[in-house]
Amino acid sequence: MTAPPRLNAERLGSLPTAVERPRYDREAVTCGIVHLGIGAFHRAHQAVYTEDVLAAGDHRWGILGASLRSPDTRDALKPQDSLYTIAVRDSERERLRVVGSILDVMVGPEDPEALIARMSDPTVAIVSLTVTEKGYCHDPATGQLDENHPDVVHDLAHPAAPRSALGYLAAAIARRRAAGVRPFTVMSCDNLPANGRTARRILTRFAALVSPELGRHVAEAIAFPDTMVDRIVPATTDIDRTHVGRVLGLADAWPIMTEPFTQWVIEDHFVAGRPAWETVGATIVGDVAPYEAMKLRLLNGSHSAIAYLGYLASHETVADAMADPAIAAYVAALMDDTTVTLTLPAGADVTGYKASLIERFRNRALKHRTWQIAMDGSQKLPQRLLGTIRDRLDRGMPIARHALAVAAWMRYVTGVDERGNPIDVRDPLAGDFAAIARDAGPVAERLAPALLGLRAIFGEELAADERFRAAVTQALSALYAKGAKATVAAYG
Ligand code: CS2
């Protein structure tokens, strides 16, 4: 069988009629947004909302995507005029849509100056980010810039050729200021607590290390709205590529697989205008915090628990794990334990929200690997699980279920699974985990305190709390003694 021809602008007319496509003049679109970290999540989420704004006739908001590391996305999208498909799936149906809001893709390291120049263009009003938690070069426990981070040290020494998003932002902000170009808005779309405020704190400190004036300028002139972003987007596989190619009759080198659900809550705080995202489904609010806590603690907290326990219990995907009644019961109970710590958004139906999360996790049409979610736990645990644990401890409430999730993370980061096979642990602190696991051995009483000593994750106070130490050690002993499957059943 010969491969189908490549998706591109000229061939849009040949798509099957059921496939949605850009119905506006892409040539008329100008670039109003530079997006750093052009991964699958951005393409399934913000780029789709923006696509709807373009389709409604406001052509100022085309997106220039940038990768700060690998050329893969550019290599996939460039030959197809930056067009790509999203496949929206649940067990009943699949809907395909070709999205055109991304106008071009650049690769930062290939030509940093070119990216800084594009970010300095006066038409650019927003620089948005999905660089993952670790892309902020911060200390996850405190939310402060990690001034010893290798990328931070590098970028302060080489401001014209940065590696991190912080370095690019500082360089572009400085250049715009020197040229008298209006400041842009920095919009974080990562799963960090108070992502706008966190980005502001970190970038202000970074800029102050460049020069005190630049630090002041960032703090005073740049807007950093908080956002809550939500859509489940598993990594694309070759099976997905082949399937989408067959349906389109055109080859798409990087289609995006996602779920029907999508949510975006944005703080209305922009200095140079923004697309009318509220006309296409986003919610604009004065305070994102309640939405964000609900999402980070209920969705992402459960996700991380499912990832570690599910992986240990040999479940490849979230849906596989949720098909195990013991895990499903545990997750429901974990969410109930979490709920008491939340200040809910006005009018929120938290019972309905939790039920919808269970449904979303059960979506068998998505192959969301537990291994994918297990990545970078050192950056995720604080906002997903540890905040809830602190709040429950403050109220004198038991924390056993959340402690089990932390213990499962500990068991996972030792790098050896329950059958003695190696685990591919991906985390900025993977080296520390390996050294700790080597010294402690598979002994809960040694392993738990050693991992709790990682201050960047646990901070001082929680790590010293006897109730927390005891609960985690007990759960970890159970995981070693009985395995994940039996232990989860006992905690549900
Ligand atoms: C997941 C998130 O990979 C992960 O850590 O928990 O990417 C999750 O799928 C999204 O936040 C859903 O909005």
Side-chain angles (χ1 to χ4, degrees):
M1 209 185 81
T2 52
R6 194 69 171 266
L7 168 68
N8 67 20
E10 254 173 37
R11 298 195 176 112
L12 283 174
S14 77
L15 289 169
T17 46
V19 176
E20 258 187 276
R21 70 209 67 180
R23 301 222 182 255
Y24 54 91
D25 178 10
R26 273 184 102 212
E27 304 287 322
V29 174
T30 53
C31 174
I33 300 172
V34 173
H35 184 80
L36 306 182
I38 185 92
F41 183 74
H42 173 72
R43 282 186 276 152
H45 191 270
Q46 304 103 62
V48 178
Y49 287 87
T50 302
E51 174 78 349
D52 289 335
V53 168
L54 297 175
D58 186 350
H59 294 164
R60 293 172 297 166
W61 303 107
I63 301 168
L64 168 73
S67 299
L68 299 187
R69 304 252 178 265
S70 113
D72 296 359
T73 302
R74 190 272 321 273
D75 292 350
L77 296 194
K78 199 88 174 174
Q80 44 195 62
D81 299 322
S82 304
L83 295 165
Y84 64 95
T85 314
I86 62 165
V88 179
R89 311 177 134 178
D90 58 22
S91 48
E92 268 129 55
R93 60 187 209 129
E94 176 183 71
R95 206 169 47 80
L96 262 51
R97 173 174 191 185
V98 172
V99 176
S101 56
I102 296 175
L103 304 178
D104 197 5
V105 183
M106 293 176 77
V107 182
E110 285 180 2
D111 190 351
E113 165 54 30
L115 177 52
I116 296 167
R118 294 296 300 270
M119 292 168 74
S120 308
D121 194 308
T123 68
V124 171
I126 296 168
V127 176
S128 52
L129 310 173
T130 50
V131 291
T132 80
E133 296 87 346
K134 64 175 176 273
Y136 290 78
C137 305
H138 70 311
D139 180 289
T142 61
Q144 301 292 339
L145 178 71
D146 174 2
E147 295 179 22
N148 298 316
H149 192 292
D151 288 355
V152 171
V153 173
H154 173 275
D155 290 0
L156 290 170
H158 305 95
R163 285 185 189 148
S164 72
L166 303 176
Y168 278 102
L169 287 165
I173 290 168
R175 183 168 308 181
R176 292 174 79 106
R177 181 171 183 237
V181 174
R182 64 176 179 169
F184 51 50
T185 297
V186 175
M187 181 175 68
S188 166
C189 295
D190 284 293
N191 285 316
L192 288 173
N195 55 10
R197 283 164 175 73
T198 300
R200 178 177 192 268
R201 180 187 324 115
I202 293 168
L203 187 63
T204 299
R205 177 66 190 151
F206 179 90
L209 294 172
V210 175
S211 79
E213 304 77 62
L214 190 63
R216 269 196 300 278
H217 178 66
V218 168
E220 284 161 15
I222 305 294
F224 294 87
D226 282 328
T227 68
M228 183 275 258
V229 293
D230 190 8
R231 194 167 209 183
I232 293 176
V233 190
T236 304
T237 66
D238 285 339
I239 296 174
D240 300 328
R241 286 188 179 84
T242 309
H243 166 74
V244 168
R246 209 173 287 141
V247 181
L248 294 182
L250 295 174
D252 181 345
W254 207 327
I256 304 296
M257 318 312 286
T258 190
E259 59 175 346
F261 183 92
T262 178
Q263 190 180 12
W264 195 8
V265 183
I266 308 167
E267 179 190 8
D268 203 0
H269 180 40
F270 290 76
V271 284
R274 60 167 174 82
W277 284 308
E278 70 275 29
T279 61
V280 294
T283 309
I284 308 287
V285 299
D287 182 12
V288 174
Y291 297 89
E292 170 215 282
M294 180 161 100
K295 192 260 171 174
L296 281 177
R297 291 187 177 191
L298 288 175
L299 188 158
N300 297 107
S302 305
H303 243 182
S304 289
I306 295 167
Y308 299 116
L309 288 163
Y311 186 98
L312 293 171
S314 304
H315 294 301
E316 166 93 17
T317 68
V318 172
D320 292 342
M322 290 297 287
D324 175 339
I327 294 187
Y330 163 79
V331 171
L334 185 77
M335 285 193 202
D336 289 343
D337 286 356
T338 303
T339 306
V340 296
T341 70
L342 299 173
T343 306
L344 295 170
D349 165 19
V350 73
T351 310
Y353 184 74
K354 287 188 281 191
S356 81
L357 289 181
I358 301 274
E359 277 312 300
R360 292 170 64 195
F361 295 160
R362 284 187 197 276
N363 183 349
R364 299 209 72 91
L366 295 184
K367 305 275 176 252
H368 202 187
R369 293 178 67 197
T370 49
W371 177 82
Q372 186 186 348
I373 300 166
M375 254 187 268
D376 293 342
S378 66
Q379 316 291 305
K380 294 174 176 173
L381 254 42
Q383 58 274 21
R384 295 182 177 206
L385 295 165
L386 304 182
T388 307
I389 290 175
R390 280 194 190 91
D391 288 350
R392 286 187 63 92
L393 286 173
D394 283 350
R395 293 162 201 215
M397 293 175 154
I399 53 159
R401 292 195 184 96
H402 286 83
L404 174 61
V406 175
W409 165 80
M410 291 178 163
R411 177 71 186 76
Y412 180 93
V413 300
T414 62
V416 181
D417 74 11
E418 292 183 358
R419 296 164 184 181
N421 296 319
I423 302 175
D424 180 5
V425 178
R426 303 276 178 96
D427 195 292
L429 298 190
D432 298 89
F433 303 155
I436 289 173
R438 210 179 313 117
D439 291 347
V443 182
E445 290 71 19
R446 292 221 298 263
L447 187 57
L451 286 166
L452 290 175
L454 293 169
R455 291 290 178 265
I457 305 175
F458 296 99
E460 298 288 339
E461 234 174 86
L462 184 62
D465 191 300
E466 275 313 322
R467 296 166 296 176
F468 179 56
R469 296 175 76 86
V472 169
T473 308
Q474 194 186 342
L476 188 56
S477 303
L479 287 172
Y480 273 116
K482 300 193 280 187
K485 253 182 157 32
T487 306
V488 173
Y491 276 74

